[in-house]
Amino acid sequence: MGLRSVLVAGVALFGSVAHAASSFSPARPPAIPLAVKGPYLNSWLHVGSDGGDGGLLYGEWPTFWSSQNTGWAGFIRVDGATYNWLGAPSGGVDTVDQTDFSYTSTRSIFIMNVADKVEMNITFLTPVTPTDLRRQSLVFSYLEVAVTSLDGDSHDVQLYADVSTEWASGDLSAVITWEYDTADGVAYHQFQREDQEDLTESNQQANWGTWFWSTSDEDGLSYQSGADTDVRGSFINNGVLPNTADTNYRAVNSDWPVFGFANDLGSVGSESVSTLYSIGMTQGGAVSLLGEGSDLTTYPALWNDYFDNDIDAMTFFYNDYSESSSLATELDNKVATDSLAAAGQNYLTLTSLSVRQTFGALQFTGTDSDPLVFLKEISSNSDIQTVDVIFPAIPLILYSNPDILNYLLKPLFLNQENGHYPNTNAIHDLGTFPVAKGYPDGTDEPQPLEECGNMVIMVLAYAQRTGDDAYLTQHYPILKQWAGYLVDEALIPADQISTDDFAGSLANQTNLALKGIIGLRAMAEIAERTGNSDDAQSFGDTATSYITQWQGFGVNSAADPPHATLSYNEPDSHGLLYNLYANSLLGFGSEFVPQSVYDMQSNFYPTQALDYGVPLDTRHTYTKSDWMLWCASIASDETRDKFLQLIAGWIDSTPTNLALTDLYDAASGNYPDGLQFTARPVVGGHFSILALPS
């Protein structure tokens, strides 16, 4: 298929109406983001080959990133006939006909034809506001449904949407309580676990917090809470809900409670009639951290610093739609304009699919004057603040707001500078989300060279873009400690794992050594910026010596074409030399790593390309999209475009069926055996081209 895919929907699941084709632009992704604003508001529509609907909004339940349902259903009634437009509810009604899907950085947009009478424009909007922490702190998302006549006639229309208690718990036996109310022009269903278990999870979903499903409190609105079949049946049969509340609080899977809204849109003609909903959650304490002091400190979700209570936060978000939509459009346009100018449509296909996924792994906490951002390593192991997951994500962070990198690194510094980690190298992570208790015994996953290089490189990248040299001075002692580790270990790496830990341990890794050496060059600049001239000279001389020796150890110049090796003394081995990107990100360029190394790799990569990418290394045929983009961004235009063509083609045709994976088989396009990554924030690395200094 080309990058504007077409899917023939075939026969409706709930009726016998034959459907036309739906187009997908700029591609048909493996999963479509619906409401993706944080680690716990993370709802997707499966698209791929799991028996799903292939990208149609109806006939498939939206799911949490870990694949349990986030019950979300919608019906529309036109001239007395009811049709399903969202989810896979029972009810024996026909479905609408999806004709188009498109996505931007913040929006997923579906166009539906309803019996050739009316058209629905359905927009799932998750605002991403990196420079506006008040708005970014709100873990909420919008759903707007606009209806207009297709045939020139006016039609009697009622609209329905509900959510289920599945949003509130990964434990289906957990009891949920709920209520209906109105405030500040907003009607809302509020629901939560009866047993609030702070800072714990079930099946990756939070065991604490309050959920809100909201719409406008206006004429023509009716509501109901109750069993799914009862509430949906009320609308299917009557086109209206009875304004009643079920008070039999019960488990998620006990008669499946849902919270419905119905809107009587009246006579709909050529003028569009819109209905706005919002879904989201609030929490008090969000993450605990072993930082200052000897005990864990619980950090409040950042929204608490801006709003007096959760109702105020919820109503602000709902009533802020006009401004939020405008800000989202600004970001959509910026990403589109910059991506197209940098590398064309294939690049925009990738960048615009990566924004919500990256920010959807971040939890904003603290206060406006002292924010901390915590990252969940979604799907691979649920670690919190994994250094080598933050590292590949930094291109998007640097592009959108470098200050967020400071907020991400802050918990790592608080833990280690307060004596909670005994090793001289940098820590790998801080525990399991949402409890960042660290490793006082030093038993984190051993990636010492990897993390020392990552930390030093990231700190300098932040300081270069913000001019915050005081930050470098503040952390200089521990940065120097980590750089000392690089002096001892970077040139000839011991047998160890790198960030690609799934690939196994290996000694003398060429790419890992390069990271450490660039880290030393970065430390030389850090020392210079902080007035430590002797250290600057020493680290700079060591880095220069090492990069010269590295070329002798890690380059097979006799090969045709020449290439860097996977490990020293293995001339036939090779891999993606993605750590070279840091040399360009920090502006060192060919004055440090010779241009000949860049040219060599740029010429080599196309010779190794498979159908969907260039393999990570010679041990396997799998690859990683973030690392390919790091390589592409510093290659020739021809090689860069080859990478982008392969990856964009993979997005449009992969049999994977979950939120965008960064790890896949470059030959088949599927998940590697035994490895199924999904929804990871490392896709922020797709912004590698846009993050380079101009």
Side-chain angles (χ1 to χ4, degrees):
M1 294 183 180
L3 285 185
R4 186 172 177 87
S5 307
V6 174
L7 173 71
V8 177
V11 177
L13 291 180
F14 305 110
S16 58
V17 178
H19 285 193
S22 177
S23 56
F24 293 81
S25 178
R28 187 178 69 159
I32 293 169
L34 299 180
V36 181
K37 188 63 184 287
Y40 301 129
L41 180 60
N42 214 283
S43 183
W44 301 77
L45 181 71
H46 289 182
V47 173
S49 60
D50 66 335
D53 61 14
L56 303 181
L57 186 58
Y58 44 83
E60 174 93 347
W61 285 117
T63 69
F64 193 61
W65 67 258
S66 53
S67 293
Q68 60 268 33
N69 288 348
T70 46
W72 211 349
F75 296 101
I76 187 170
R77 186 177 170 101
V78 180
D79 297 334
T82 304
Y83 306 84
N84 170 230
W85 59 269
L86 169 61
S90 59
V93 301
D94 289 330
T95 65
V96 299
D97 184 0
Q98 182 172 313
T99 60
D100 184 71
F101 167 77
S102 60
Y103 65 83
T104 67
S105 293
T106 66
R107 292 172 167 90
S108 297
I109 305 165
F110 300 81
I111 305 298
M112 308 294 185
N113 178 321
V114 188
D116 292 328
K117 293 183 175 182
V118 301
E119 182 175 83
M120 305 175 72
N121 185 310
I122 302 164
T123 301
F124 294 84
L125 167 61
T126 300
V128 179
T129 56
T131 59
D132 184 339
L133 293 186
R134 180 177 63 154
R135 288 183 168 88
Q136 189 61 38
S137 73
L138 293 167
V139 187
F140 286 82
S141 191
Y142 297 107
L143 166 59
E144 184 184 24
V145 181
V147 182
T148 188
S149 175
L150 268 178
D151 60 6
D153 294 333
S154 294
H155 299 278
D156 186 43
V157 178
Q158 293 80 39
L159 185 69
Y160 171 92
D162 73 46
V163 299
S164 78
T165 53
E166 290 162 293
W167 290 79
S169 179
D171 175 6
L172 299 184
S173 67
V175 173
I176 308 299
T177 63
W178 56 83
E179 64 179 289
Y180 172 86
D181 208 341
T182 62
D184 198 18
V186 180
Y188 62 91
H189 292 282
Q190 174 182 326
F191 56 105
Q192 56 278 314
R193 282 176 56 118
E194 182 176 58
D195 182 14
Q196 294 277 303
E197 300 176 11
D198 289 355
L199 304 177
T200 65
E201 297 178 344
S202 294
N203 201 12
Q204 303 293 333
Q205 292 180 247
N207 288 334
W208 82 108
T210 302
W211 287 84
F212 294 92
W213 169 235
S214 309
T215 193
S216 177
D217 180 20
E218 60 187 26
D219 291 342
L221 173 70
S222 57
Y223 70 90
Q224 186 180 3
S225 59
D228 56 348
T229 54
D230 293 344
V231 178
R232 294 165 187 162
S234 292
F235 180 81
I236 291 171
N237 294 326
N238 305 310
V240 67
L241 298 177
N243 294 329
T244 58
D246 184 340
T247 57
N248 177 28
Y249 306 137
R250 56 190 182 272
V252 174
N253 60 5
S254 177
D255 290 329
W256 303 99
V258 302
F259 311 108
F261 289 120
N263 287 83
D264 186 353
L265 306 187
S267 180
V268 175
S270 59
E271 186 173 338
S272 178
V273 179
S274 290
T275 303
L276 180 67
Y277 308 95
S278 67
I279 179 72
M281 71 177 305
T282 59
Q283 293 172 314
V287 172
S288 62
L289 168 69
L290 181 60
E292 295 176 310
S294 57
D295 297 320
L296 290 166
T297 298
T298 297
Y299 284 83
L302 183 57
W303 70 266
N304 289 278
D305 199 48
Y306 301 110
F307 301 96
D308 291 336
N309 54 63
D310 51 7
I311 303 298
D312 287 351
M314 176 271 295
T315 57
F316 170 84
F317 179 83
Y318 185 88
N319 291 321
D320 190 50
Y321 181 66
S322 178
E323 180 64 17
S324 286
S325 181
S326 177
L327 292 171
T329 299
E330 288 181 17
L331 181 63
D332 288 345
N333 291 343
K334 175 178 170 58
V335 172
T337 299
D338 292 350
S339 297
L340 290 170
Q345 179 58 55
N346 283 340
Y347 190 44
L348 176 58
T349 297
L350 191 58
T351 55
S352 56
L353 192 57
S354 304
V355 174
R356 281 172 283 177
Q357 179 166 321
T358 302
F359 279 90
L362 304 184
Q363 174 68 63
F364 286 73
T365 75
T367 64
D368 181 69
S369 60
D370 187 21
L372 290 81
V373 177
F374 291 90
L375 174 145
K376 181 170 184 174
E377 185 182 340
I378 288 179
S379 80
S380 37
N381 61 13
S382 296
D383 281 352
I384 186 169
Q385 235 59 12
T386 310
V387 175
D388 59 288
V389 173
I390 297 173
F391 184 67
I394 63 170
L396 175 53
I397 302 302
L398 295 173
Y399 170 78
S400 60
N401 182 7
D403 286 333
I404 293 176
L405 183 53
N406 173 12
Y407 310 150
L408 281 163
L409 298 182
K410 190 180 299 183
L412 292 156
F413 281 120
L414 282 171
N415 178 266
Q416 294 168 89
E417 290 177 334
N418 282 288
H420 300 305
Y421 185 63
N423 301 340
T424 57
N425 57 272
I427 202 169
H428 171 265
D429 66 271
L430 289 178
T432 302
F433 197 93
V435 181
K437 61 183 179 181
Y439 299 89
D441 59 358
T443 58
D444 56 320
E445 185 175 23
Q447 295 186 23
L449 179 50
E450 173 78 37
E451 310 307 11
C452 286
N454 289 340
M455 288 298 295
V456 175
I457 290 167
M458 288 192 289
V459 164
L460 180 57
Y462 161 75
Q464 286 179 337
R465 283 153 181 79
T466 61
D468 189 0
D469 290 343
Y471 178 81
L472 303 178
T473 299
Q474 177 186 357
H475 300 299
Y476 191 82
I478 200 166
L479 292 170
K480 184 176 179 180
Q481 173 184 310
W482 295 335
Y485 187 92
L486 296 178
V487 171
D488 294 339
E489 302 292 338
L491 181 59
I492 311 293
D495 192 345
Q496 63 192 286
I497 55 175
S498 69
T499 183
D500 306 315
D501 51 2
F502 47 83
S505 180
L506 189 66
N508 303 319
Q509 294 182 57
T510 303
N511 187 47
L512 183 59
L514 181 59
K515 173 174 287 180
I517 295 166
I518 295 170
L520 284 171
R521 174 63 182 84
M523 189 65 208
E525 181 169 325
I526 290 171
E528 182 180 358
R529 283 172 169 260
T530 55
N532 294 282
S533 56
D534 290 345
D535 285 351
Q537 184 70 47
S538 176
F539 287 123
D541 288 348
T542 300
T544 299
S545 171
Y546 282 6
I547 196 63
T548 300
Q549 295 178 70
W550 174 85
Q551 293 171 75
F553 294 147
V555 172
N556 182 353
S557 56
D560 183 19
H563 58 81
T565 59
L566 172 62
S567 59
Y568 302 163
N569 301 320
E570 293 188 20
D572 294 333
S573 69
H574 51 79
L576 296 174
L577 195 68
Y578 55 81
N579 282 323
L580 181 58
Y581 175 76
N583 187 67
S584 297
L585 183 71
L586 298 177
F588 300 153
S590 59
E591 293 182 3
F592 184 58
V593 180
Q595 184 62 38
S596 59
V597 175
Y598 286 83
D599 295 340
M600 172 184 69
Q601 290 302 112
S602 180
N603 293 333
F604 177 69
Y605 291 136
T607 70
Q608 302 302 308
L610 301 179
D611 286 348
Y612 298 108
V614 176
L616 183 63
D617 61 52
T618 40
R619 293 174 289 182
H620 308 274
T621 56
Y622 56 58
T623 188
K624 290 192 84 267
S625 61
D626 51 347
W627 298 147
M628 283 194 288
L629 258 295
W630 283 38
C631 294
S633 66
I634 53 174
S636 68
D637 289 354
E638 182 179 2
T639 296
R640 177 201 69 198
D641 292 345
K642 178 64 174 179
F643 271 115
L644 293 173
Q645 176 191 5
L646 294 173
I647 301 169
W650 168 79
I651 287 176
D652 202 44
S653 56
T654 174
T656 63
N657 60 338
L658 304 174
L660 195 63
T661 179
D662 53 289
L663 176 67
Y664 63 90
D665 190 282
S668 69
N670 212 334
Y671 300 110
D673 290 341
L675 292 168
Q676 193 175 86
F677 291 174
T678 179
R680 283 167 27 108
V682 300
V683 298
H686 297 158
F687 278 74
S688 55
I689 300 172
L690 299 181
L692 289 172
S694 55

